[in-house]
Amino acid sequence: MNIWVIDDDLVSQFATQYRIEQSNVSCYVATYDSATKALRSIKDILANEEEMPNILLLDLVMPLMDGWKFLEELERIYTVKNNMKVYVLSAFNNYKDRDLAKKHPLVHGYFDKPLSEVDMNEILNDL
C-alpha cells in the first residue's frame, strides 16, 4: 500500500505519519510539503504509467496551491477515481469545507487533525 501525506506543516506531517505507522499496516508513506510538488509527482506517475498511491491525506490550507486547487487540478488530469482515495485532513473545524468535501467526487472523507486511531482505522478499512 502506498499512502501520501500532503501537508505544509511539518508537525502535522509527522503526526499523521506516526498515526499511519501505529496502525501496523505494511505500507510506504511519502510526504509532500506542498500541493504543487505532489501534483508534479502525480503527473510524472501518469506520464510513466506507474501505479498511483492508494491513499492521499490532503491538507486544505497551504500556500501557493491550497487543497481545493489541488483537487481541481487532480480531477482535470486523473480520470480513474476509484483506484486512489483522497481524504481531507484539516486543523480547522470549518463546516463549509466539510460540506464541500462531502460533495467533491474525489474526496472519500474529511477528518480533523490530528488524525485519531479510530479515523485511521476507518480510512484503512475503506480500501
Side-chain angles (χ1 to χ4, degrees):
M1 183 180 331
N2 191 345
I3 300 174
W4 288 13
V5 178
I6 306 168
D7 195 327
D8 64 311
D9 179 53
L10 296 178
V11 173
S12 291
Q13 269 187 26
F14 177 79
T16 303
Q17 188 169 357
Y18 181 76
R19 177 59 64 206
I20 295 165
E21 290 168 359
Q22 292 300 305
S23 70
N24 291 321
V25 172
S26 177
C27 64
Y28 169 78
V29 179
T31 57
Y32 292 87
D33 62 1
S34 80
T36 53
K37 289 178 186 176
L39 191 61
R40 196 173 317 124
S41 291
I42 287 173
K43 287 178 180 178
D44 289 344
I45 288 171
L46 290 171
N48 295 320
E49 298 181 0
E50 296 171 353
E51 192 172 326
M52 293 291 281
N54 304 94
I55 296 172
L56 292 183
L57 301 175
L58 176 67
D59 183 31
L60 291 178
V61 181
M62 293 181 281
L64 302 178
M65 178 186 284
D66 67 13
W68 295 118
K69 182 66 175 168
F70 172 85
L71 287 169
E72 182 181 310
E73 290 296 313
L74 182 62
E75 193 171 26
R76 191 176 59 74
I77 64 170
Y78 185 61
T79 56
V80 186
K81 295 173 178 62
N82 292 331
N83 293 348
M84 179 177 63
K85 297 194 175 184
V86 179
Y87 297 90
V88 170
L89 303 182
S90 182
F92 305 104
N93 198 356
N94 184 330
Y95 294 107
K96 180 182 170 192
D97 283 342
R98 193 177 294 272
D99 287 342
L100 287 172
K102 284 181 183 179
K103 295 175 186 172
H104 199 285
L106 292 180
V107 176
H108 287 269
Y110 182 104
F111 297 97
D112 295 325
K113 289 191 219 176
L115 199 58
S116 72
E117 181 178 353
V118 171
D119 294 339
M120 190 71 235
N121 289 336
E122 184 178 330
I123 290 168
L124 294 172
N125 289 333
D126 193 30
L127 290 178

